[in-house]
Amino acid sequence: MQSLRWRIITALVVLALGLAYMMPSLPGVSGSALGKMLPGNPVNLGLDLKGGIHLTLGVDMDTAMHNNLARLGDDLKAAARDEEIFVLRPNVISDTRIEIVLLKADQQDKFEKAVKNYSPFDVESMESMDDGKVKFTLVVPPQYKEEIAKLTMDQAIKTIRNRIDQFGVAEPDIRKQQGNRIQVQLPGLQDPERAIKIIGQTAHLEFKMVDDIADMEKALKGILAPGRELSVILNRQANGEYTESPIVLKKDSVLTGEYITDAKVQLDTWNQPYVSITFNNRGGTIFANLTADNVNKRMAIVLDGKVYSAPVIQEKISGGRASITGQFTREEARDLAVVLRAGSLPAPVVILEQRSVGPSLGQESIDKGIMSALIGMGMVLAFMVIYYGFAGFVADVVLCLNIMLILGGLAAFGATLTLPGIAGIILTIGMAVDANVIIFERIREELRRGLTAKAALAEGYGRATLTILDANVTTVIAAIILYQFGTGPVRGFAVTLTLGIITSMFTAIFVSRILFDLYLKNRANDAKLSI
Amino acid sequence: MGLQVIKPDTNIDFIGFKKIAFILSAIIILAGVGSLALKGGPKYGIDFAGGMIVQVKIDKAQDIKEVKDAMKGVELPGLVIQTLGLEGDHEYLIRTSSSDISSQEVRGKVSEALSSNLGATGFEIQRLEMVGPKVGADLRTKALEALFYAVLIIAVYISGRFEQRWTAAGIMAAALGFSIYGIGMLGFDMGFLIVAAMVITVGLCWYLKLNYALGAVAALIHDVMITVGIFSILGKEFDLTIIAALLTIIGYSLNDTIIVFDRIRENNIARKGSDSFGKVINRSINQTLSRTIMTSLTTLLVVACLYVLGGAVIHDFALALLIGVVVGTYSSIFVASPILLGFGPGCEAVKETEA
């Protein structure tokens, strides 16, 4: 009995901690003076309980790689030209290879040296062509590809985070998932469609020159002059819908959105919103030269492959400012400014999974979950007292303590409570009494064998404990696997189930024993036990 | 002393029921398998099949037919409309098999059809979920992997814990991992792999005479098969929460089996020379019977509450648990124990090296 005091102290400490962490989750406590004294925060509610959006985005790594190789190829071409080596514009042929044609065979050594010095490429093969040209196949090492994939993911996550920050969502959760996936969780958002549009927009801004002399009829049949491409220009109709009409552009973009430092919405003289963009120094210089060289020509403003407007350049534009007009609504213009300011995504993203839950459904789920938990618990509590008498009462007390510890534990570990999580708690209520049932049945057996209450108690607890451990370890294994492989709500369920099993072992074996020992402490050796 | 449902001297010959029990189990499992075969495999929810669902709550009571009529003009691929949850909730699930269309478009089409065709009745789109086919396939693979690893690790744990045969358990794990890797290389899909893994696990347990593991694993495969079968017969869909429910059932079923097995082991060590192993098993089941019934009852009480009051989203999950708790309790007595006897240490002396 010497150790009883220590066991009581241990139990009280654990229970007090559980209580302290649980309190903020009770209605009314969180904001109060009491709430401020307590550690931690209320239990996090999952999106299915408070409403919000869950998105899984897939980053199109092939496009990212393609763009990257194309840019490297262009850099190489430019570097070669500086050394007076003449090559044709390179072609990307796979996710690690480009093809580049050297015009003069006698420059081969010089070009190989340039490849080595100015690019991460290795020469994989070369092939002499007629008329003295040499076709090189260049390849980047696999580590380079991995590096690019990593950088692309990091940049995509950063860009998405920037966009969401501008959108003003409290507590967004953005994380990288295996493969090239990104998970985004936005709690409590009212307008899911708009958020999805902003997050998913690549916002790859390019300026391209319009080919006004191209033959549109031929172009529509797919016959295009070299270096030209067919695109669509968006025209906004009075009813807010867009119609598309064809336009022929020069393929090379003359300037891209990388050089943008700021973007904001402004109103023109007719109160039409437009997006004004500011370039950095380098972008400003390029833009000034470009406009000076192309006065009276049309320049297309291309966002994600679609032309928003194609104004005629009236004069040289210096000062590093430009504007995108496109008969936007105010909201559209604001969203466009957000994505331009936050930067373009390094590659297009696809929405692979989307789950949005309205806040009202969330509230209803909580209400129903709590209601069924309370009723289920009430029945179990009553049942235990009827069946086991005083011992049943002890089991009930520890069951309540158990629920308190689960909630406290969820809050302390910062876990998220989801609807299946509530189900996990409810299931735990049912199974939590199991440990006590096993012990009580064992004690009854020992009492029938004629042992005194104290001896039966010791024997019952001793023999039942191992059984309980064995039985629960397997459930914990199932729960851990569930956590490992599960996503979102399933994980929530696994967490509450595991926590529930651990706390129920503590309360049902350790705490209930203390209560029995206290009850029998000052009684005679032949005292009876109501069980 | 409180109430006692099971009298202390109860001695029901459970093992004697094994024939009837096996036939009963076989019939239910065959019915389930038959239903799966007829329906061409399990009916996957959007988590696994991909597609989109919109959950709508309508203010007034509406016949499902009226809702279907209202949605008639909406052209979406594989459009299905079904009621959700209990009567009186007026909640409906609108599904489309495509995930190519934007959620915005679907939201728009559904809202438009409902507001123009349902008269003055108000409605609210409570939930919209879209899962792409790639994610769906991944989730399916992951879910099956979860079931597979759960069974494997549990088999290893039981063999080690109950028979102190960690080496044999380790050999089993290695052999299983190796064969699955081999079969996986041949390019079969995950569903086939799971079935193969289960067959190999049972085969290995039998070959290595890991009888406790064999009984427990057979019981939990039995429970999962019955639950899946009943779900198929009832035309319910499989989604992530059902996988969670299946894993919980595995946990529960084992929990139950292990408590009986623990007692069998204890009684077997202390057994008197004249007792047959069958008698030991019977005595152990009888001794743990009140506990089995009590725990199943309390668990069923709360799961039933969840089923009736938990709301639409949790409804099928609770149903799976209800079936699983009943079947799990039954299987520990009528499936796991007879199997343990059937292949068990029978007449030969048991060499137990207690840790």
Side-chain angles (χ1 to χ4, degrees), chain A residues 181 352 354-356 358 360 387 434 442 444 463 467 470 482 531, chain B residues 2 47 124 126 128-130 132 138 161 247 263 266 291 295:
Chain A
R181 292 185 185 163
L352 297 174
Q354 174 199 339
R355 295 168 197 267
S356 51
S360 71
Y387 198 84
D434 183 49
R442 200 76 203 215
R444 281 184 170 185
R463 283 173 178 264
T467 309
D470 269 337
L482 207 57
I531 192 166
Chain B
D47 284 344
E124 185 193 1
Q126 293 183 308
L128 188 147
E129 300 193 355
M130 184 282 281
D138 284 2
R161 186 72 190 89
L247 277 161
R263 193 48 93 81
E266 185 189 323
R291 174 266 156 195
T295 300

PDB file of all heavy atoms in Angstrom, chain A residues 181 352 354-356 358 360 387 434 442 444 463 467 470 482 531, chain B residues 2 47 124 126 128-130 132 138 161 247 263 266 291 295:
ATOM      1  N   ARG A 181       2.696  16.078 -55.800  1.00  0.00           N
ATOM      2  CA  ARG A 181       1.393  16.577 -55.357  1.00  0.00           C
ATOM      3  C   ARG A 181       1.520  17.572 -54.219  1.00  0.00           C
ATOM      4  O   ARG A 181       2.425  17.489 -53.410  1.00  0.00           O
ATOM      5  CB  ARG A 181       0.528  15.403 -54.909  1.00  0.00           C
ATOM      6  CG  ARG A 181       0.168  14.550 -56.089  1.00  0.00           C
ATOM      7  CD  ARG A 181      -0.774  13.465 -55.720  1.00  0.00           C
ATOM      8  NE  ARG A 181      -0.971  12.625 -56.894  1.00  0.00           N
ATOM      9  CZ  ARG A 181      -1.473  11.417 -56.847  1.00  0.00           C
ATOM     10  NH1 ARG A 181      -1.855  10.923 -55.699  1.00  0.00           N
ATOM     11  NH2 ARG A 181      -1.624  10.731 -57.934  1.00  0.00           N
ATOM     12  N   LEU A 352      -6.437  17.518 -58.704  1.00  0.00           N
ATOM     13  CA  LEU A 352      -6.641  16.072 -58.742  1.00  0.00           C
ATOM     14  C   LEU A 352      -7.776  15.655 -57.822  1.00  0.00           C
ATOM     15  O   LEU A 352      -8.404  14.639 -58.018  1.00  0.00           O
ATOM     16  CB  LEU A 352      -5.361  15.358 -58.309  1.00  0.00           C
ATOM     17  CG  LEU A 352      -4.151  15.578 -59.196  1.00  0.00           C
ATOM     18  CD1 LEU A 352      -2.923  14.945 -58.583  1.00  0.00           C
ATOM     19  CD2 LEU A 352      -4.404  14.994 -60.572  1.00  0.00           C
ATOM     20  N   GLN A 354     -10.736  17.423 -54.956  1.00  0.00           N
ATOM     21  CA  GLN A 354     -11.285  18.624 -54.345  1.00  0.00           C
ATOM     22  C   GLN A 354     -12.429  18.218 -53.448  1.00  0.00           C
ATOM     23  O   GLN A 354     -13.305  17.472 -53.856  1.00  0.00           O
ATOM     24  CB  GLN A 354     -11.802  19.550 -55.451  1.00  0.00           C
ATOM     25  CG  GLN A 354     -12.526  20.753 -54.916  1.00  0.00           C
ATOM     26  CD  GLN A 354     -13.414  21.395 -55.954  1.00  0.00           C
ATOM     27  OE1 GLN A 354     -13.234  21.218 -57.143  1.00  0.00           O
ATOM     28  NE2 GLN A 354     -14.393  22.135 -55.491  1.00  0.00           N
ATOM     29  N   ARG A 355     -12.394  18.689 -52.221  1.00  0.00           N
ATOM     30  CA  ARG A 355     -13.516  18.413 -51.335  1.00  0.00           C
ATOM     31  C   ARG A 355     -13.881  19.699 -50.639  1.00  0.00           C
ATOM     32  O   ARG A 355     -13.049  20.295 -49.972  1.00  0.00           O
ATOM     33  CB  ARG A 355     -13.148  17.346 -50.296  1.00  0.00           C
ATOM     34  CG  ARG A 355     -12.863  15.994 -50.908  1.00  0.00           C
ATOM     35  CD  ARG A 355     -12.238  15.057 -49.910  1.00  0.00           C
ATOM     36  NE  ARG A 355     -11.600  13.932 -50.583  1.00  0.00           N
ATOM     37  CZ  ARG A 355     -12.206  12.772 -50.823  1.00  0.00           C
ATOM     38  NH1 ARG A 355     -13.446  12.578 -50.453  1.00  0.00           N
ATOM     39  NH2 ARG A 355     -11.566  11.815 -51.425  1.00  0.00           N
ATOM     40  N   SER A 356     -15.102  20.129 -50.851  1.00  0.00           N
ATOM     41  CA  SER A 356     -15.495  21.316 -50.107  1.00  0.00           C
ATOM     42  C   SER A 356     -16.747  21.015 -49.312  1.00  0.00           C
ATOM     43  O   SER A 356     -17.656  20.354 -49.789  1.00  0.00           O
ATOM     44  CB  SER A 356     -15.714  22.504 -51.050  1.00  0.00           C
ATOM     45  OG  SER A 356     -16.559  22.144 -52.097  1.00  0.00           O
ATOM     46  N   GLY A 358     -19.657  22.699 -46.783  1.00  0.00           N
ATOM     47  CA  GLY A 358     -20.260  23.933 -46.298  1.00  0.00           C
ATOM     48  C   GLY A 358     -20.252  23.965 -44.791  1.00  0.00           C
ATOM     49  O   GLY A 358     -20.355  22.932 -44.144  1.00  0.00           O
ATOM     50  N   SER A 360     -22.465  24.820 -42.714  1.00  0.00           N
ATOM     51  CA  SER A 360     -23.688  24.378 -42.039  1.00  0.00           C
ATOM     52  C   SER A 360     -23.672  22.868 -41.871  1.00  0.00           C
ATOM     53  O   SER A 360     -24.069  22.326 -40.848  1.00  0.00           O
ATOM     54  CB  SER A 360     -24.918  24.800 -42.828  1.00  0.00           C
ATOM     55  OG  SER A 360     -25.015  24.043 -44.006  1.00  0.00           O
ATOM     56  N   TYR A 387     -25.094  -3.729 -14.207  1.00  0.00           N
ATOM     57  CA  TYR A 387     -24.501  -5.060 -14.280  1.00  0.00           C
ATOM     58  C   TYR A 387     -23.449  -5.309 -13.205  1.00  0.00           C
ATOM     59  O   TYR A 387     -23.361  -6.391 -12.660  1.00  0.00           O
ATOM     60  CB  TYR A 387     -23.887  -5.263 -15.678  1.00  0.00           C
ATOM     61  CG  TYR A 387     -23.647  -6.716 -15.998  1.00  0.00           C
ATOM     62  CD1 TYR A 387     -24.670  -7.512 -16.515  1.00  0.00           C
ATOM     63  CD2 TYR A 387     -22.412  -7.298 -15.793  1.00  0.00           C
ATOM     64  CE1 TYR A 387     -24.466  -8.841 -16.814  1.00  0.00           C
ATOM     65  CE2 TYR A 387     -22.184  -8.636 -16.096  1.00  0.00           C
ATOM     66  CZ  TYR A 387     -23.220  -9.406 -16.605  1.00  0.00           C
ATOM     67  OH  TYR A 387     -23.016 -10.718 -16.900  1.00  0.00           O
ATOM     68  N   ASP A 434     -14.175  -2.360 -22.171  1.00  0.00           N
ATOM     69  CA  ASP A 434     -13.714  -3.736 -22.339  1.00  0.00           C
ATOM     70  C   ASP A 434     -12.650  -4.120 -21.323  1.00  0.00           C
ATOM     71  O   ASP A 434     -12.727  -5.170 -20.698  1.00  0.00           O
ATOM     72  CB  ASP A 434     -13.175  -3.927 -23.764  1.00  0.00           C
ATOM     73  CG  ASP A 434     -12.739  -5.360 -24.012  1.00  0.00           C
ATOM     74  OD1 ASP A 434     -13.529  -6.263 -23.685  1.00  0.00           O
ATOM     75  OD2 ASP A 434     -11.623  -5.574 -24.516  1.00  0.00           O
ATOM     76  N   ARG A 442     -12.704 -11.377 -14.388  1.00  0.00           N
ATOM     77  CA  ARG A 442     -11.637 -12.156 -13.763  1.00  0.00           C
ATOM     78  C   ARG A 442     -11.762 -12.114 -12.236  1.00  0.00           C
ATOM     79  O   ARG A 442     -11.615 -13.122 -11.549  1.00  0.00           O
ATOM     80  CB  ARG A 442     -10.295 -11.567 -14.200  1.00  0.00           C
ATOM     81  CG  ARG A 442      -9.147 -12.500 -14.037  1.00  0.00           C
ATOM     82  CD  ARG A 442      -9.175 -13.522 -15.142  1.00  0.00           C
ATOM     83  NE  ARG A 442      -8.464 -14.718 -14.744  1.00  0.00           N
ATOM     84  CZ  ARG A 442      -7.750 -15.470 -15.578  1.00  0.00           C
ATOM     85  NH1 ARG A 442      -7.684 -15.161 -16.854  1.00  0.00           N
ATOM     86  NH2 ARG A 442      -7.133 -16.532 -15.151  1.00  0.00           N
ATOM     87  N   ARG A 444     -14.472 -11.641 -10.546  1.00  0.00           N
ATOM     88  CA  ARG A 444     -15.619 -12.475 -10.177  1.00  0.00           C
ATOM     89  C   ARG A 444     -15.204 -13.941 -10.096  1.00  0.00           C
ATOM     90  O   ARG A 444     -15.593 -14.657  -9.170  1.00  0.00           O
ATOM     91  CB  ARG A 444     -16.740 -12.321 -11.208  1.00  0.00           C
ATOM     92  CG  ARG A 444     -17.562 -11.058 -11.034  1.00  0.00           C
ATOM     93  CD  ARG A 444     -18.696 -11.048 -12.040  1.00  0.00           C
ATOM     94  NE  ARG A 444     -19.649  -9.977 -11.783  1.00  0.00           N
ATOM     95  CZ  ARG A 444     -20.788  -9.821 -12.463  1.00  0.00           C
ATOM     96  NH1 ARG A 444     -21.087 -10.661 -13.436  1.00  0.00           N
ATOM     97  NH2 ARG A 444     -21.608  -8.843 -12.180  1.00  0.00           N
ATOM     98  N   ARG A 463      -3.762 -10.858 -13.687  1.00  0.00           N
ATOM     99  CA  ARG A 463      -3.948 -11.766 -14.817  1.00  0.00           C
ATOM    100  C   ARG A 463      -4.538 -11.060 -16.030  1.00  0.00           C
ATOM    101  O   ARG A 463      -4.232 -11.417 -17.173  1.00  0.00           O
ATOM    102  CB  ARG A 463      -4.869 -12.928 -14.412  1.00  0.00           C
ATOM    103  CG  ARG A 463      -4.152 -13.960 -13.578  1.00  0.00           C
ATOM    104  CD  ARG A 463      -5.139 -14.993 -13.055  1.00  0.00           C
ATOM    105  NE  ARG A 463      -4.442 -16.019 -12.297  1.00  0.00           N
ATOM    106  CZ  ARG A 463      -4.061 -17.174 -12.818  1.00  0.00           C
ATOM    107  NH1 ARG A 463      -4.300 -17.437 -14.092  1.00  0.00           N
ATOM    108  NH2 ARG A 463      -3.437 -18.066 -12.087  1.00  0.00           N
ATOM    109  N   THR A 467      -3.472  -9.800 -20.833  1.00  0.00           N
ATOM    110  CA  THR A 467      -4.473 -10.049 -21.869  1.00  0.00           C
ATOM    111  C   THR A 467      -4.881  -8.747 -22.545  1.00  0.00           C
ATOM    112  O   THR A 467      -4.957  -8.653 -23.771  1.00  0.00           O
ATOM    113  CB  THR A 467      -5.729 -10.681 -21.235  1.00  0.00           C
ATOM    114  OG1 THR A 467      -5.310 -11.789 -20.451  1.00  0.00           O
ATOM    115  CG2 THR A 467      -6.710 -11.123 -22.283  1.00  0.00           C
ATOM    116  N   ASP A 470      -2.118  -7.436 -24.823  1.00  0.00           N
ATOM    117  CA  ASP A 470      -2.082  -8.202 -26.067  1.00  0.00           C
ATOM    118  C   ASP A 470      -3.171  -7.779 -27.020  1.00  0.00           C
ATOM    119  O   ASP A 470      -2.951  -7.554 -28.201  1.00  0.00           O
ATOM    120  CB  ASP A 470      -2.278  -9.700 -25.764  1.00  0.00           C
ATOM    121  CG  ASP A 470      -0.945 -10.381 -25.557  1.00  0.00           C
ATOM    122  OD1 ASP A 470       0.056  -9.848 -26.058  1.00  0.00           O
ATOM    123  OD2 ASP A 470      -0.925 -11.430 -24.909  1.00  0.00           O
ATOM    124  N   LEU A 482      -3.425   2.378 -40.424  1.00  0.00           N
ATOM    125  CA  LEU A 482      -4.461   3.276 -40.919  1.00  0.00           C
ATOM    126  C   LEU A 482      -3.902   4.686 -41.062  1.00  0.00           C
ATOM    127  O   LEU A 482      -4.144   5.386 -42.043  1.00  0.00           O
ATOM    128  CB  LEU A 482      -5.602   3.285 -39.905  1.00  0.00           C
ATOM    129  CG  LEU A 482      -6.997   3.584 -40.394  1.00  0.00           C
ATOM    130  CD1 LEU A 482      -7.367   2.605 -41.468  1.00  0.00           C
ATOM    131  CD2 LEU A 482      -7.979   3.467 -39.237  1.00  0.00           C
ATOM    132  N   ILE A 531     -19.459  -6.226  -7.130  1.00  0.00           N
ATOM    133  CA  ILE A 531     -18.944  -6.336  -8.489  1.00  0.00           C
ATOM    134  C   ILE A 531     -19.826  -7.263  -9.318  1.00  0.00           C
ATOM    135  O   ILE A 531     -20.429  -8.183  -8.784  1.00  0.00           O
ATOM    136  CB  ILE A 531     -17.478  -6.836  -8.484  1.00  0.00           C
ATOM    137  CG1 ILE A 531     -16.841  -6.658  -9.873  1.00  0.00           C
ATOM    138  CG2 ILE A 531     -17.370  -8.258  -7.991  1.00  0.00           C
ATOM    139  CD1 ILE A 531     -15.340  -6.808  -9.888  1.00  0.00           C
TER     140      ILE A 531
ATOM    141  N   GLY B   2     -23.193  -7.957  -8.763  1.00  0.00           N
ATOM    142  CA  GLY B   2     -24.187  -7.414  -9.701  1.00  0.00           C
ATOM    143  C   GLY B   2     -24.891  -8.513 -10.466  1.00  0.00           C
ATOM    144  O   GLY B   2     -24.976  -9.650 -10.014  1.00  0.00           O
ATOM    145  N   ASP B  47     -14.154   8.120 -53.964  1.00  0.00           N
ATOM    146  CA  ASP B  47     -12.793   8.080 -53.443  1.00  0.00           C
ATOM    147  C   ASP B  47     -11.917   7.181 -54.303  1.00  0.00           C
ATOM    148  O   ASP B  47     -10.750   7.455 -54.531  1.00  0.00           O
ATOM    149  CB  ASP B  47     -12.767   7.522 -52.016  1.00  0.00           C
ATOM    150  CG  ASP B  47     -13.249   8.551 -51.019  1.00  0.00           C
ATOM    151  OD1 ASP B  47     -13.294   9.738 -51.380  1.00  0.00           O
ATOM    152  OD2 ASP B  47     -13.590   8.158 -49.897  1.00  0.00           O
ATOM    153  N   GLU B 124     -29.743  23.800 -50.398  1.00  0.00           N
ATOM    154  CA  GLU B 124     -28.393  24.260 -50.090  1.00  0.00           C
ATOM    155  C   GLU B 124     -27.401  23.188 -50.528  1.00  0.00           C
ATOM    156  O   GLU B 124     -27.601  22.010 -50.260  1.00  0.00           O
ATOM    157  CB  GLU B 124     -28.279  24.483 -48.581  1.00  0.00           C
ATOM    158  CG  GLU B 124     -26.963  25.076 -48.175  1.00  0.00           C
ATOM    159  CD  GLU B 124     -26.756  24.996 -46.666  1.00  0.00           C
ATOM    160  OE1 GLU B 124     -27.633  24.457 -45.970  1.00  0.00           O
ATOM    161  OE2 GLU B 124     -25.713  25.443 -46.211  1.00  0.00           O
ATOM    162  N   GLN B 126     -24.371  21.428 -49.736  1.00  0.00           N
ATOM    163  CA  GLN B 126     -23.618  21.325 -48.489  1.00  0.00           C
ATOM    164  C   GLN B 126     -22.202  20.850 -48.698  1.00  0.00           C
ATOM    165  O   GLN B 126     -21.316  21.135 -47.915  1.00  0.00           O
ATOM    166  CB  GLN B 126     -24.320  20.337 -47.562  1.00  0.00           C
ATOM    167  CG  GLN B 126     -25.666  20.837 -47.092  1.00  0.00           C
ATOM    168  CD  GLN B 126     -26.270  19.848 -46.137  1.00  0.00           C
ATOM    169  OE1 GLN B 126     -26.370  18.665 -46.429  1.00  0.00           O
ATOM    170  NE2 GLN B 126     -26.677  20.323 -44.980  1.00  0.00           N
ATOM    171  N   LEU B 128     -19.276  19.398 -51.816  1.00  0.00           N
ATOM    172  CA  LEU B 128     -18.951  19.055 -53.196  1.00  0.00           C
ATOM    173  C   LEU B 128     -17.581  18.397 -53.178  1.00  0.00           C
ATOM    174  O   LEU B 128     -16.635  18.952 -52.636  1.00  0.00           O
ATOM    175  CB  LEU B 128     -18.947  20.308 -54.061  1.00  0.00           C
ATOM    176  CG  LEU B 128     -18.809  20.066 -55.575  1.00  0.00           C
ATOM    177  CD1 LEU B 128     -19.575  21.117 -56.336  1.00  0.00           C
ATOM    178  CD2 LEU B 128     -17.371  20.051 -56.027  1.00  0.00           C
ATOM    179  N   GLU B 129     -17.502  17.212 -53.719  1.00  0.00           N
ATOM    180  CA  GLU B 129     -16.220  16.531 -53.724  1.00  0.00           C
ATOM    181  C   GLU B 129     -15.893  16.055 -55.118  1.00  0.00           C
ATOM    182  O   GLU B 129     -16.756  15.568 -55.825  1.00  0.00           O
ATOM    183  CB  GLU B 129     -16.234  15.332 -52.762  1.00  0.00           C
ATOM    184  CG  GLU B 129     -16.523  15.718 -51.346  1.00  0.00           C
ATOM    185  CD  GLU B 129     -16.231  14.616 -50.356  1.00  0.00           C
ATOM    186  OE1 GLU B 129     -15.886  13.504 -50.778  1.00  0.00           O
ATOM    187  OE2 GLU B 129     -16.366  14.893 -49.150  1.00  0.00           O
ATOM    188  N   MET B 130     -14.643  16.234 -55.491  1.00  0.00           N
ATOM    189  CA  MET B 130     -14.190  15.751 -56.784  1.00  0.00           C
ATOM    190  C   MET B 130     -12.906  14.963 -56.564  1.00  0.00           C
ATOM    191  O   MET B 130     -12.010  15.407 -55.866  1.00  0.00           O
ATOM    192  CB  MET B 130     -13.932  16.940 -57.697  1.00  0.00           C
ATOM    193  CG  MET B 130     -13.536  16.599 -59.110  1.00  0.00           C
ATOM    194  SD  MET B 130     -11.817  16.105 -59.308  1.00  0.00           S
ATOM    195  CE  MET B 130     -11.015  17.689 -59.277  1.00  0.00           C
ATOM    196  N   GLY B 132     -10.072  12.938 -58.878  1.00  0.00           N
ATOM    197  CA  GLY B 132      -9.615  12.573 -60.219  1.00  0.00           C
ATOM    198  C   GLY B 132      -9.316  11.092 -60.299  1.00  0.00           C
ATOM    199  O   GLY B 132      -9.091  10.441 -59.284  1.00  0.00           O
ATOM    200  N   ASP B 138      -4.865   5.711 -56.904  1.00  0.00           N
ATOM    201  CA  ASP B 138      -3.843   5.719 -55.855  1.00  0.00           C
ATOM    202  C   ASP B 138      -4.441   5.407 -54.490  1.00  0.00           C
ATOM    203  O   ASP B 138      -3.876   4.645 -53.712  1.00  0.00           O
ATOM    204  CB  ASP B 138      -3.164   7.092 -55.773  1.00  0.00           C
ATOM    205  CG  ASP B 138      -2.188   7.297 -56.902  1.00  0.00           C
ATOM    206  OD1 ASP B 138      -2.079   6.384 -57.749  1.00  0.00           O
ATOM    207  OD2 ASP B 138      -1.539   8.347 -56.944  1.00  0.00           O
ATOM    208  N   ARG B 161       4.087 -13.609 -30.247  1.00  0.00           N
ATOM    209  CA  ARG B 161       3.591 -13.396 -28.891  1.00  0.00           C
ATOM    210  C   ARG B 161       3.016 -14.666 -28.272  1.00  0.00           C
ATOM    211  O   ARG B 161       3.231 -14.959 -27.105  1.00  0.00           O
ATOM    212  CB  ARG B 161       2.546 -12.280 -28.962  1.00  0.00           C
ATOM    213  CG  ARG B 161       2.010 -11.816 -27.662  1.00  0.00           C
ATOM    214  CD  ARG B 161       3.023 -11.005 -26.878  1.00  0.00           C
ATOM    215  NE  ARG B 161       2.493 -10.805 -25.552  1.00  0.00           N
ATOM    216  CZ  ARG B 161       2.700 -11.646 -24.546  1.00  0.00           C
ATOM    217  NH1 ARG B 161       3.458 -12.689 -24.716  1.00  0.00           N
ATOM    218  NH2 ARG B 161       2.169 -11.413 -23.368  1.00  0.00           N
ATOM    219  N   LEU B 247     -10.678  -1.776 -41.259  1.00  0.00           N
ATOM    220  CA  LEU B 247      -9.494  -1.908 -40.405  1.00  0.00           C
ATOM    221  C   LEU B 247      -9.873  -1.924 -38.931  1.00  0.00           C
ATOM    222  O   LEU B 247      -9.261  -2.616 -38.126  1.00  0.00           O
ATOM    223  CB  LEU B 247      -8.505  -0.778 -40.700  1.00  0.00           C
ATOM    224  CG  LEU B 247      -7.617  -1.073 -41.906  1.00  0.00           C
ATOM    225  CD1 LEU B 247      -6.993   0.178 -42.448  1.00  0.00           C
ATOM    226  CD2 LEU B 247      -6.521  -2.057 -41.515  1.00  0.00           C
ATOM    227  N   ARG B 263      -6.757 -16.974 -22.996  1.00  0.00           N
ATOM    228  CA  ARG B 263      -7.266 -17.878 -21.977  1.00  0.00           C
ATOM    229  C   ARG B 263      -6.955 -19.331 -22.351  1.00  0.00           C
ATOM    230  O   ARG B 263      -6.609 -20.149 -21.501  1.00  0.00           O
ATOM    231  CB  ARG B 263      -8.771 -17.636 -21.815  1.00  0.00           C
ATOM    232  CG  ARG B 263      -9.399 -18.266 -20.591  1.00  0.00           C
ATOM    233  CD  ARG B 263      -8.602 -17.995 -19.333  1.00  0.00           C
ATOM    234  NE  ARG B 263      -9.002 -16.836 -18.562  1.00  0.00           N
ATOM    235  CZ  ARG B 263     -10.010 -16.808 -17.703  1.00  0.00           C
ATOM    236  NH1 ARG B 263     -10.760 -17.845 -17.502  1.00  0.00           N
ATOM    237  NH2 ARG B 263     -10.276 -15.715 -17.040  1.00  0.00           N
ATOM    238  N   GLU B 266      -3.426 -19.949 -21.477  1.00  0.00           N
ATOM    239  CA  GLU B 266      -3.260 -20.058 -20.042  1.00  0.00           C
ATOM    240  C   GLU B 266      -3.753 -21.425 -19.537  1.00  0.00           C
ATOM    241  O   GLU B 266      -3.059 -22.112 -18.790  1.00  0.00           O
ATOM    242  CB  GLU B 266      -4.047 -18.925 -19.366  1.00  0.00           C
ATOM    243  CG  GLU B 266      -3.861 -18.854 -17.873  1.00  0.00           C
ATOM    244  CD  GLU B 266      -4.823 -17.853 -17.235  1.00  0.00           C
ATOM    245  OE1 GLU B 266      -5.080 -16.807 -17.862  1.00  0.00           O
ATOM    246  OE2 GLU B 266      -5.320 -18.131 -16.138  1.00  0.00           O
ATOM    247  N   ARG B 291     -17.512 -11.908 -20.602  1.00  0.00           N
ATOM    248  CA  ARG B 291     -16.771 -10.731 -21.097  1.00  0.00           C
ATOM    249  C   ARG B 291     -17.103 -10.472 -22.567  1.00  0.00           C
ATOM    250  O   ARG B 291     -17.393  -9.331 -22.958  1.00  0.00           O
ATOM    251  CB  ARG B 291     -15.273 -10.949 -20.918  1.00  0.00           C
ATOM    252  CG  ARG B 291     -14.424  -9.865 -21.513  1.00  0.00           C
ATOM    253  CD  ARG B 291     -13.994 -10.236 -22.926  1.00  0.00           C
ATOM    254  NE  ARG B 291     -13.680  -9.063 -23.716  1.00  0.00           N
ATOM    255  CZ  ARG B 291     -13.562  -9.098 -25.025  1.00  0.00           C
ATOM    256  NH1 ARG B 291     -13.772 -10.216 -25.680  1.00  0.00           N
ATOM    257  NH2 ARG B 291     -13.271  -8.013 -25.676  1.00  0.00           N
ATOM    258  N   THR B 295     -18.822  -6.910 -23.632  1.00  0.00           N
ATOM    259  CA  THR B 295     -18.121  -5.927 -24.455  1.00  0.00           C
ATOM    260  C   THR B 295     -18.816  -5.729 -25.794  1.00  0.00           C
ATOM    261  O   THR B 295     -18.976  -4.602 -26.256  1.00  0.00           O
ATOM    262  CB  THR B 295     -16.662  -6.365 -24.670  1.00  0.00           C
ATOM    263  OG1 THR B 295     -16.039  -6.468 -23.405  1.00  0.00           O
ATOM    264  CG2 THR B 295     -15.915  -5.371 -25.514  1.00  0.00           C
TER     265      THR B 295
END
